[in-house]
Amino acid sequence: MLLFKLVSRQRFGINVFKVQEVIQCPPLTQIPNSHSVICGVAHLRGKTIPVLDLSMAIGMRPLQRDSGCYVIVTEYNRSIQGFLVGSVDRIINIGWEQVKAPPTGTGKESYLTAVTEIEGELIEVIDVEKVMKEVIGGREEASAETIDQNVMSQNDHILVVDDSSVARNQVKRVCEQIGIECTLLKDGRKPGTIYAHWLRKGPKSNNAIR
């Protein structure tokens, strides 16, 4: 997990597997009539990527963009974008037993996907997929050219495990479109959870769970 700060001393985290690199905020080119959360675009290694103010995106005050901020370059849903943050702390390794669900009462509008405790401090893990959906949008169905008719004819049952509710629902809509049943889970941490859901639904082929 990559730890960082926004506009206060509170530390946040995102999955490091989606992070390509962390850089000092480069010069940004403004985009007319763009979403207010988008700071601009940056030219990086021959590519132009949008840079989002992550603090503003989750309902906090905007970052001071001329105060030595950093950009976390990530890849989600086959797109590359940068998230502007106040400072970057470090990368830590944690076990799933240390990751907990957000506190009860945070509601569906919350941008938290999980919490964990590091050195006595509560770390809030941000649902980046939710941020991106609200700011950038994106398709939630498979295009005709990407659908494999052989897959559709197998009538398998797929287990979808992701901590982001937005990501789970995106996969669910694609599965519905191509006629494949699916079961959604937040995590597979509890022993026997995956196997129990598989038995409850019942396998329909030798490839019932992938």
Side-chain angles (χ1 to χ4, degrees):
M1 181 179 296
L2 176 63
L3 302 183
F4 58 90
K5 297 179 182 178
L6 296 174
V7 293
S8 67
R9 299 183 63 181
Q10 168 68 42
R11 287 189 291 179
F12 298 87
I14 60 172
N15 190 337
V16 73
F17 293 126
K18 299 291 186 179
V19 176
Q20 291 191 347
E21 60 181 315
V22 177
I23 59 174
Q24 193 86 39
C25 184
L28 302 177
T29 301
Q30 301 299 314
I31 306 176
N33 301 318
S34 63
H35 195 288
S36 59
V37 169
I38 298 179
C39 309
V41 296
H43 299 284
L44 183 64
R45 309 196 200 298
K47 296 182 178 180
T48 301
I49 65 171
V51 177
L52 288 67
D53 185 328
L54 190 53
S55 177
M56 191 175 179
I58 64 173
M60 301 175 69
R61 69 177 185 271
L63 288 159
Q64 296 296 324
R65 299 170 189 177
D66 56 352
S67 60
C69 293
Y70 287 82
V71 173
I72 302 174
V73 181
T74 66
E75 181 175 4
Y76 285 90
N77 297 334
R78 298 182 179 181
S79 66
I80 298 176
Q81 54 281 309
F83 292 103
L84 188 71
V85 299
S87 63
V88 175
D89 187 1
R90 56 194 164 107
I91 294 174
I92 60 169
N93 292 317
I94 58 174
W96 281 113
E97 67 278 0
Q98 298 173 263
V99 180
K100 309 298 181 184
T104 303
T106 53
K108 293 183 178 180
E109 301 305 316
S110 171
Y111 291 95
L112 298 187
T113 187
V115 295
T116 188
E117 186 175 335
I118 303 295
E119 301 169 348
E121 178 186 352
L122 188 67
I123 305 296
E124 301 178 357
V125 183
I126 295 179
D127 188 345
V128 179
E129 283 91 346
K130 178 177 174 65
V131 171
M132 290 182 54
K133 180 182 178 183
E134 293 184 355
V135 177
I136 300 178
R139 299 183 56 168
E140 294 190 345
E141 66 279 339
S143 59
E145 60 271 18
T146 61
I147 297 177
D148 188 336
Q149 297 299 324
N150 293 325
V151 172
M152 294 181 65
S153 64
Q154 289 180 10
N155 198 26
D156 289 344
H157 189 97
I158 296 177
L159 180 66
V160 179
V161 183
D162 199 293
D163 60 347
S164 168
S165 61
V166 172
R168 290 196 304 272
N169 288 326
Q170 287 174 338
V171 176
K172 178 184 177 182
R173 292 186 183 95
V174 172
C175 288
E176 290 174 344
Q177 180 189 356
I178 62 179
I180 294 180
E181 294 185 32
C182 64
T183 295
L184 306 181
L185 289 179
K186 290 183 62 176
D187 67 75
R189 181 168 54 86
K190 295 181 180 179
T193 300
I194 293 177
Y195 186 63
H197 278 76
W198 177 67
L199 289 178
R200 180 168 59 84
K201 290 294 184 179
K204 296 186 178 181
S205 76
N206 291 333
N207 298 318
I209 290 186
R210 297 178 171 179

